Amino acid sequence: MKSWFCWILILFRNVSADPAPRYAVHHTSVTFDQAAEHCSPAGVLTTLATEQEVTNVLKVVAVAAAAPRRGEFTFWIGLRKLKDGCVVPTLPLRGFKWTKDGSEESQVSRWAEEPKHTCTTTLCAALKGELDGSNVTRWGLIPFSCRMANNFICKLTNAEQKPNQQKPDPEKEPTCWSSSAQLELRCSGWPAVWRLKDDSPANFTDICASCDAGFQKDASGNCMDVDECIVGRPCRHSCLNTVGSYRCFCSDQSGNQHSEDSPECAEAATSGVLMVALVAVAALVVLVLVVVVTVKCCLMRQSKKRAMKKAEKMAMDSKDSFETANEKAAT
């Protein structure tokens, strides 16, 4: 069989093409319903219905790590069993359904922990796995109470993809230009096919497509959400990363969230400043008291020493006078 390898360095530029699937990995622990709300309306909690989708999501999870590391991860995905449904051990999704469309279709069935049989409890599923450096070494689905708090992964819906976009000419040299991202391709096999480094076929419609604001290309050509809360730290109080953007907020004493520009946040900031000032004043008062007590103790010790020396001197003088008197009497 005839085969050859030809390597080319591809640089991205903004071109009109159908965008690749976009995923947003959120490192914020929330309940299942809160995660679904954060993904909406730009997207939904991600599905894992096909082998290719599993591959894409695991790549995104590995790349989204702040640095190569070891450890476990858990992310909500869009899979849930409603209260009136039953766990069915013989089904791939065990009776769970995708929240995106309510279907039970799946090419993948890998449960790290089997859900317990129930027909009266609402359960939600999460993707759990282990990261070794930049590779996901093991993964599987695990059932949870929907009120548990986990990180989550969003996927943009097809409605967010831009229609009527021109696809690149396959006869032209596969070159895209950009100043920020690069991708290495090779052609191999017979007939020759352009492939990525992981040997998967390269889809130039996807890898040369520009990303929307708030997203950036990874090494595999996928558009990944930028976590502005980590990259730029734009908020004065708390920051929540959202799909393609972020939200600044503060929390009151009841746990309710308010926009950072709201009067509640301004009042919280003022209260925080006053609290810091009160703490500083209290610390200063304590310091002054310590100094005063220390000085007083030192003065008392010095006064006591002077009194003891005076008493010793008087005793010595009395002794000398007594001895002189005795000597005169003996004479």
Side-chain angles (χ1 to χ4, degrees), residues 117-134:
H117 180 74
T118 178
C119 294
T120 59
T121 304
T122 300
L123 294 175
C124 297
L127 170 66
K128 186 172 184 178
E130 186 171 328
L131 195 65
D132 185 359
S134 59

Side-chain angles (χ1 to χ4, degrees), residues 41-184:
V44 295
L45 284 171
T46 189
T47 55
L48 295 175
T50 66
E51 293 285 354
Q52 184 60 51
E53 194 166 32
V54 170
T55 300
N56 292 341
V57 170
L58 293 182
K59 285 183 179 179
V60 169
V61 170
V63 175
R69 60 184 180 86
R70 295 175 181 268
E72 293 186 345
F73 59 81
T74 305
F75 294 100
W76 284 127
I77 61 172
L79 191 61
R80 175 169 57 188
K81 185 198 77 67
L82 297 177
K83 186 175 182 179
D84 57 353
C86 294
V87 172
V88 183
T90 57
L91 296 178
L93 296 182
R94 307 300 192 260
F96 287 64
K97 295 181 180 181
W98 298 115
T99 56
K100 177 182 178 181
D101 54 15
S103 71
E104 298 182 72
E105 297 181 2
S106 179
Q107 300 175 4
V108 183
S109 179
R110 182 186 294 190
W111 289 84
E113 179 181 323
E114 289 289 339
K116 295 181 179 180
H117 180 74
T118 178
C119 294
T120 59
T121 304
T122 300
L123 294 175
C124 297
L127 170 66
K128 186 172 184 178
E130 186 171 328
L131 195 65
D132 185 359
S134 59
N135 298 314
V136 177
T137 55
R138 64 179 183 83
W139 68 272
L141 303 181
I142 184 169
F144 274 110
S145 165
C146 300
R147 293 189 294 271
M148 292 286 291
N150 286 313
N151 300 335
F152 58 101
I153 303 174
C154 299
K155 179 184 179 182
L156 290 187
T157 59
N158 291 332
E160 295 296 321
Q161 312 299 323
K162 297 180 180 179
N164 302 323
Q165 295 177 323
Q166 183 180 359
K167 296 184 178 180
D169 187 351
E171 298 297 326
K172 295 182 179 180
E173 182 181 4
T175 305
C176 313
W177 296 94
S178 170
S179 60
S180 60
Q182 63 181 25
L183 178 66
E184 196 172 276

Side-chain angles (χ1 to χ4, degrees), residues 23-30 35 38-39 45 64 74-76 150-155 225-227 240-245:
Y23 298 95
V25 177
H26 296 264
H27 295 284
T28 304
S29 294
V30 295
H38 286 312
C39 291
L45 284 171
T74 305
F75 294 100
W76 284 127
N150 286 313
N151 300 335
F152 58 101
I153 303 174
C154 299
K155 179 184 179 182
D225 178 66
V226 177
D227 192 341
L240 175 65
N241 185 46
T242 60
V243 179
S245 185

